[in-house]
Amino acid sequence: MVEEISNGDFTDLVKIIQQRYGYDFTDYAPASLKRRFTRFTGFAHISNVFELKHRLLNDAGFFQEMVQYITVNVTEMFRDPAFYKTLREQVLPRLASYPIIKIWHAGCASGEEVYSMAILLEEAGLLDRCRIYATDMNAANLRKAKKGAVALKDMKDYTCNYIQSGGVNDFSNYYTAGCDTAIIDAALRRNIIFFQHNLVTDQVFNEFQLICCRNVFIYFNRTLQERVVKLFYESLTSLGYLALGIKESLLYNDERFKFEPVNAANKIFRRKV
Amino acid sequence: MTLPLKYSILVIGGSAGSMSVLVELLNQLPSPFPIPVVIILHRLKNVESELDKLLSIRQPIAEPEDKEPLLQGNIYLAPQNYHLLIEEDGSFSLDYAEPVNFSRPAIDLTFSSAASVFGARSLGILLSGANKDGAAGLCRIIRAGGKGIAQRPDTAGFSIMPQAAIDLCRGVQPMTIKGMIDFLRNISIENKS
Ligand SMILES: C[S@@+](CC[C@H](N)C(=O)[O-])C[C@H]1O[C@@H](n2cnc3c(N)ncnc32)[C@H](O)[C@@H]1O
């Protein structure tokens, strides 16, 4: 494993990845990405940066493995219960006035957040009218998401989160438990489509009433955050909602004046007309 | 004339048994302290916690948001369920990556991040705790030329954490709570002279 990567090597690696494979990590926040690189060298038994560069330059399969490993793919159902409670109370009632409700989960990882949303929508009687577009740049995440499988050992935590988010149903009705995975009820997944979309390189593809992009901006530097907020602005209907992660902020973003806070603590904003 | 400061950041890590020590340190810490202070505590996730308020003893303590700049005189607390990293431009960034040493926030990650950004100008203090998180990070600080202090294990509610650091590398300086307070006061005085 490589203990620490110098700034020079880091820049080289990002360049190699961009030029060879078209994935652009230039404007990612360096502290975390550097750590992902070193962590990957541990996983792939690589002992120096030269070897890492050499493999990247010569082995496309190696890169595919690497790219799936370096994005942070962690997620939870109903993470930050207060956020979901706010969605229930302040956002969904407003969305109810649209005949068709289009929602985009950008950076959905393996889907846990999307299923949580589907549960809220079902409980609000809105799921039938919803089209949920769930995207990520990591293909392995999407393959996992399409299966609707969640680790069974986490279900206890998720049940607590669900209850704290204001859920009153029996949470176990929403999935079928196997030995070590739980499969989210197929009926809940009826209006979700998962597909690949890279926020750095891909464009606007639809118009939404709500965009959820949580815990993705933390991996971007300010320049990239700003570009992606522009993309979201253009992808929202007027007065459409944008939800970020609980510790993410528009404060350092020049686009912030185009949005107004709906619930500042839970990082829900609305596109101004 | 103010001399250039020896340290640019103080990072404090703690787990089981560290709350009362931390409260005492914050009570006695010269206020405002001349460099930013970043506290990493092991804590529960997905529960509303008032920890930031509890620790706001002589001045308000805030959980930083992503990209927030570290400011001199401020005291920060790592938010629950994220790792807290420092970027070279002197701002925070948060990370939702896998727990490290079963912990998120992991003390090791913030300490290592401070060491790589501030090098010899980092100062780390590791308090009481029942696991080994923080030891490797404190050693990173020392290897970068900074200073690493561990609570003297016989004064800690749980000695595993400070002891792990002392065992892991040379140069970790064990101190009593009073020792730490004196040390921190001196830093503040050096700054004023
Ligand atoms: C920490 S997960 C967040 C998952 C979920 N939104 C949550 O908050 O629980 C970050 C996700 O962002 C994705 N991601 C990173 N860079 C991206 C990009 N440029 N475009 C699309 N997705 C990206 C990663 O693949 C990963 O699945």
Side-chain angles (χ1 to χ4, degrees):
Chain A
M1 164 158 181
V2 180
E3 268 264 320
E4 200 158 353
I5 294 179
S6 72
N7 282 343
D9 283 330
F10 178 69
T11 312
D12 288 350
L13 288 165
V14 169
K15 236 182 228 150
I16 292 172
I17 292 174
Q18 187 191 7
Q19 286 168 356
R20 282 267 147 156
Y21 304 104
Y23 281 83
D24 187 359
F25 290 100
T26 315
D27 284 322
Y28 274 56
S32 162
L33 187 59
K34 264 189 201 163
R35 207 188 137 242
R36 299 309 281 181
F37 283 172
T38 54
R39 191 171 166 275
F40 177 72
T41 61
F43 169 78
H45 304 290
I46 288 189
S47 51
N48 60 58
V49 177
F50 176 78
E51 191 187 341
L52 181 60
K53 287 182 189 168
H54 183 78
R55 293 288 298 271
L56 275 176
L57 285 166
N58 294 293
D59 184 350
F62 176 80
F63 170 73
Q64 288 310 328
E65 195 177 23
M66 177 162 169
V67 75
Q68 294 177 0
Y69 198 89
I70 57 180
T71 55
V72 172
N73 309 316
V74 179
T75 181
E76 286 167 58
M77 285 184 83
F78 291 98
R79 180 191 164 116
D80 310 313
F83 164 73
Y84 286 96
K85 198 163 196 242
T86 312
L87 280 183
R88 281 183 201 275
E89 290 167 358
Q90 293 183 25
V91 178
L92 299 195
R94 296 294 184 91
L95 293 184
S97 63
Y98 293 92
I100 297 285
I101 306 163
K102 285 189 282 184
I103 300 176
W104 179 13
H105 284 268
C108 65
S110 45
E112 279 78 344
E113 183 186 84
V114 190
Y115 311 141
S116 310
M117 179 71 82
I119 290 173
L120 294 193
L121 292 165
E122 183 78 325
E123 293 184 355
L126 299 175
L127 188 59
D128 276 322
R129 279 198 272 143
C130 286
R131 301 289 170 271
I132 304 176
Y133 300 77
T135 65
D136 202 279
M137 78 171 205
N138 185 330
N141 284 347
L142 293 166
R143 277 194 297 276
K144 216 168 142 205
K146 283 178 194 160
K147 292 188 187 136
V150 175
L152 190 60
K153 66 170 174 35
D154 295 326
M155 276 303 181
K156 201 171 141 241
D157 277 355
Y158 296 166
T159 306
C160 276
N161 291 351
Y162 165 77
I163 293 167
Q164 288 181 62
S165 80
V168 293
N169 291 347
D170 183 347
F171 193 59
S172 63
N173 286 339
Y174 292 123
Y175 61 89
T176 309
C179 284
D180 47 17
T181 51
I183 304 291
I184 303 292
D185 194 357
L188 273 175
R189 294 183 276 136
R190 62 187 181 271
N191 289 334
I192 305 174
I193 59 166
F194 289 100
F195 60 96
Q196 208 167 4
H197 180 281
N198 187 332
L199 291 166
V200 181
T201 43
D202 294 330
Q203 308 299 316
V204 173
F205 61 91
N206 212 322
E207 201 178 78
F208 302 94
Q209 279 77 41
L210 166 62
I211 297 177
C212 272
C213 183
R214 308 187 71 224
N215 303 305
V216 180
F217 272 23
I218 48 180
Y219 300 108
F220 297 170
N221 72 12
R222 281 193 228 167
T223 312
L224 183 54
Q225 288 188 354
E226 202 157 309
R227 254 173 59 201
V228 177
V229 170
K230 271 194 193 127
L231 175 75
F232 288 159
Y233 181 83
E234 287 161 17
S235 305
L236 281 170
T237 52
S238 98
L239 300 180
Y241 293 89
L242 172 64
L244 300 179
I246 219 90
K247 289 289 168 190
E248 290 165 334
S249 159
L250 286 182
L251 212 65
Y252 308 102
N253 197 302
D254 283 343
E255 298 292 300
R256 65 182 177 277
F257 302 110
K258 297 182 181 165
F259 291 85
E260 57 193 7
V262 173
N263 185 304
N266 289 297
K267 300 299 153 62
I268 301 175
F269 306 88
R270 198 152 78 157
R271 184 192 141 139
K272 289 185 186 167
V273 189
Chain B
M1 189 190 111
T2 46
L3 293 168
L5 271 180
K6 198 163 172 201
Y7 300 108
S8 300
I9 188 164
L10 166 59
V11 283
I12 305 178
S15 188
S18 66
M19 256 317 255
S20 59
V21 187
L22 197 57
V23 167
E24 204 172 328
L25 285 183
L26 291 177
N27 245 321
Q28 310 278 335
L29 194 72
S31 173
F33 199 61
I35 52 177
V37 180
V38 182
I39 300 167
I40 311 96
L41 289 177
H42 292 161
R43 47 196 297 207
L44 291 174
K45 62 175 195 175
N46 286 326
V47 291
E48 301 241 2
S49 96
E50 304 267 278
L51 198 57
D52 48 345
K53 293 196 190 97
L54 281 176
L55 289 173
S56 297
I57 298 167
R58 296 179 53 195
Q59 69 180 81
I61 290 188
E63 293 181 354
E65 295 202 324
D66 183 52
K67 306 289 176 282
E68 189 173 326
L70 279 94
L71 298 179
Q72 173 183 335
N74 280 7
I75 306 182
Y76 303 94
L77 173 69
Q80 60 176 8
N81 218 1
Y82 288 98
H83 296 301
L84 183 62
L85 307 178
I86 302 165
E87 301 285 354
E88 279 177 14
D89 68 358
S91 63
F92 285 109
S93 63
L94 294 166
D95 189 353
Y96 186 3
E98 298 76 4
V100 171
N101 309 315
F102 308 101
S103 313
R104 188 173 59 211
I107 302 168
D108 270 344
L109 293 196
T110 311
F111 278 19
S112 303
S113 184
S116 74
V117 173
F118 297 103
R121 304 173 64 80
S122 12
L123 169 61
I125 299 183
L126 192 60
L127 302 176
S128 166
N131 79 3
K132 295 186 174 176
D133 187 27
L138 200 66
C139 291
R140 281 283 272 273
I141 289 180
I142 291 170
R143 257 186 287 142
K147 189 174 183 75
I149 297 170
Q151 182 178 359
R152 228 175 66 188
D154 61 318
T155 70
F158 294 82
S159 60
I160 297 177
M161 208 152 97
Q163 190 66 53
I166 293 167
D167 294 344
L168 186 67
C169 65
R170 286 152 152 271
V172 174
Q173 208 167 326
M175 283 191 193
T176 60
I177 301 169
K178 173 153 189 318
M180 293 182 226
I181 291 168
D182 290 342
F183 181 82
L184 294 174
R185 285 204 174 132
N186 266 330
I187 292 182
S188 180
I189 292 167
E190 277 169 24
N191 183 40
K192 285 191 188 114
S193 59

